[in-house]
Amino acid sequence: MPTQTLPLTISMHPSDNVAIVANDGGLPAGTVLSNGLVLKDKVPQGHKVALVDLAMDAPVLRYGIPIGYALKDIPAGSWVHERLLTMPDARELDNLPIATVKPAVQPPLEGYTFEGYRNADGSVGTRNILAITQTVQCVAAVTDFAVQRIKVELLPKFPNVDDVVALEHSYGCGVAIDAPGAEIPIRTLRNISLNPNFGGEVMVVSLGCEKLQPERLMPPGSFAIVDERQAESVLDVVCLQDDAHVGFMSMVDAIMRQAETHLQRLNVRQRETVPASELVVGVQCGGSDAFSGVTANPAVGYCTDLLVRAGASVMFSETTEVRDGIDQLTARASTPEVAEAMIREMAWYDAYLQRGKVDRSANTTPGNKKGGLSNIVEKAMGSIVKSGSAAITGVLAPGEKLKQKGLTYAATPASDFICGTLQLAAGMNLHVFTTGRGTPYGLAECPVIKVATRTDLARRWHDLMDINAGTIADGSKTIEDVGWEMFHLMLEVASGRKKTWAEHWKLHNALVLFNPAPVT
Ligand code: CA
């Protein structure tokens, strides 16, 4: 590890009047910075120092925009923490710049491939997994019992299959299933069942009396033909309330019997060389700190540009974390229609939050603040850079399935598990997740590459973090270096040649459906 002896601060924009302290452990009062400024307070790592005298009500500029206004006079060299700032109001959703920025078209990136599983619908999986869909939470424990036996008794017979995963969730009954918004959890569940990593082998466990009936979850035509002999879509459902079942073991045996037919078909899948354009990458951050927007997220943004140049699909999400940068996003929309769709999704989310009598400022956590992020405006400016610089060509509502390549804004809550769940529904086959405070997040359905924003976290969590972007703050690597490292690691992980740490330890967070509709 490089030892940092010299005081190191990082500004993001020439007009910034604050900078963040990069040194591990922060800097003590009295430290003389390279520009001669003397620190008046001890400033923790990742926190802001005033570069000039800030008068009361003066804008505090980071990323070249006001992240807040000084509540009192703040002399140069002081620690600028969240209690010294008021937060700007959210940007109105009218009079936004619409498709005004035309990002320079980058040269295509050709010749990059990975080894993936090509599906009948043309999509490509990075893993070969049997997923068992459930219509309702009631069947979760029975399905889990069967899955444990499948893993022990069946999976060893099918060495080409990576895993068996029960798509457990809390939806399906006791819900206002016809309420506006109920379509979100329903289509999320439907589209997750069709994730490319599951090979089109849809298998459903149902209770029988639940509100979300199998044919509503997976209507005819929504899934691939399961039985070629019948040449029509026959949904494979094990219904626990079926009269045929006498005793618990009858249910478990039925699930195992059906699982075996799907495992047989999945087992003949073979990896083949496919272009990098078949990657469907969801980018996300969680447990963010002030370095997220300096190291890891800009590196992800650089990698996002590489992926777009390679013809791949990239989704960025987390509505409350990009809401404050809406003007940047609508300006980068490829067409007015894309910009309008973005505004529509943001307006829907504003209204959703308003129903709960909060706004996007409810997003920031105690950990964010401890990590130096004063408020959601500062957090958003650091989060939005994950989207890179390419034109935004698509917009998805929560739970919708992605149908195009390029850069898409997939509207989701910022909640790590809900965002990941919705990106899975969109068809994500690879997930990239940045963290500054540290989270052991992982998914059973898709590999998750985790990126540390600080070397100190990467050192302590050496067997949880896949990439250390803290090297950017240390000065030993550039944003471009780490972006390329990420791109190459993605191809290795997608090919199954490398496992992520979350896969190695089998760290599998729960699917969490986004249900904005009432429960009954
Ligand atoms: Ca998140």
Side-chain angles (χ1 to χ4, degrees), residues 379-499:
K379 187 174 173 178
M381 292 308 119
S383 174
I384 212 164
V385 296
K386 297 198 298 299
S387 67
S389 63
I392 301 161
T393 49
V395 178
L396 283 187
E400 284 183 341
K401 198 168 165 60
L402 192 62
K403 294 196 177 69
Q404 64 187 90
K405 308 271 189 195
L407 182 61
T408 291
Y409 165 56
T412 78
S415 155
D416 297 350
F417 344 101
I418 298 180
C419 173
T421 300
L422 291 167
Q423 289 182 338
L424 281 173
M428 167 171 74
N429 58 21
L430 198 61
H431 203 8
V432 177
F433 193 104
T434 71
T435 184
R437 307 295 300 166
T439 166
Y441 176 83
L443 294 172
E445 295 80 7
C446 160
V448 180
I449 294 173
K450 287 207 298 299
V451 186
T453 72
R454 293 175 299 128
T455 294
D456 178 56
L457 176 68
R459 178 182 56 76
R460 289 185 292 111
W461 288 32
H462 57 89
D463 49 6
L464 289 164
M465 294 292 141
D466 301 293
I467 290 181
N468 176 20
T471 49
I472 296 166
D474 303 342
S476 61
K477 282 189 188 169
T478 64
I479 287 170
E480 292 78 8
D481 292 338
V482 178
W484 273 109
E485 182 184 346
M486 212 176 277
F487 182 77
H488 289 300
L489 180 63
M490 281 181 182
L491 297 177
E492 290 293 297
V493 169
S495 302
R497 288 192 290 264
K498 264 192 183 157
K499 277 188 172 179

Side-chain angles (χ1 to χ4, degrees), residues 17 37 40 50-56 58 73-78:
N17 53 22
L37 186 67
K40 287 200 161 28
L51 298 175
V52 295
D53 289 332
L54 297 168
M56 187 168 151
D73 292 344
I74 305 174
S78 303

Side-chain angles (χ1 to χ4, degrees), residues 237-319:
V237 181
V238 175
C239 177
L240 302 190
Q241 289 172 349
D242 234 329
D243 291 342
H245 294 308
V246 178
F248 174 54
M249 280 309 154
S250 166
M251 303 171 191
V252 174
D253 288 344
I255 296 171
M256 292 183 67
R257 203 163 46 240
Q258 289 310 111
E260 186 155 14
T261 65
H262 294 284
L263 286 169
Q264 277 163 356
R265 283 198 292 256
L266 287 171
N267 198 50
V268 299
R269 288 176 102 199
Q270 297 282 346
R271 285 190 186 270
E272 58 184 88
T273 305
V274 298
S277 57
E278 298 298 351
L279 287 175
V280 183
V281 178
V283 302
Q284 210 205 143
C285 50
S288 298
D289 65 2
F291 282 96
S292 298
V294 176
T295 60
N297 291 351
V300 168
Y302 188 83
C303 187
T304 294
D305 287 352
L306 295 178
L307 289 163
V308 172
R309 286 172 59 194
S313 312
V314 190
M315 292 176 278
F316 69 101
S317 299
E318 304 173 296
T319 298

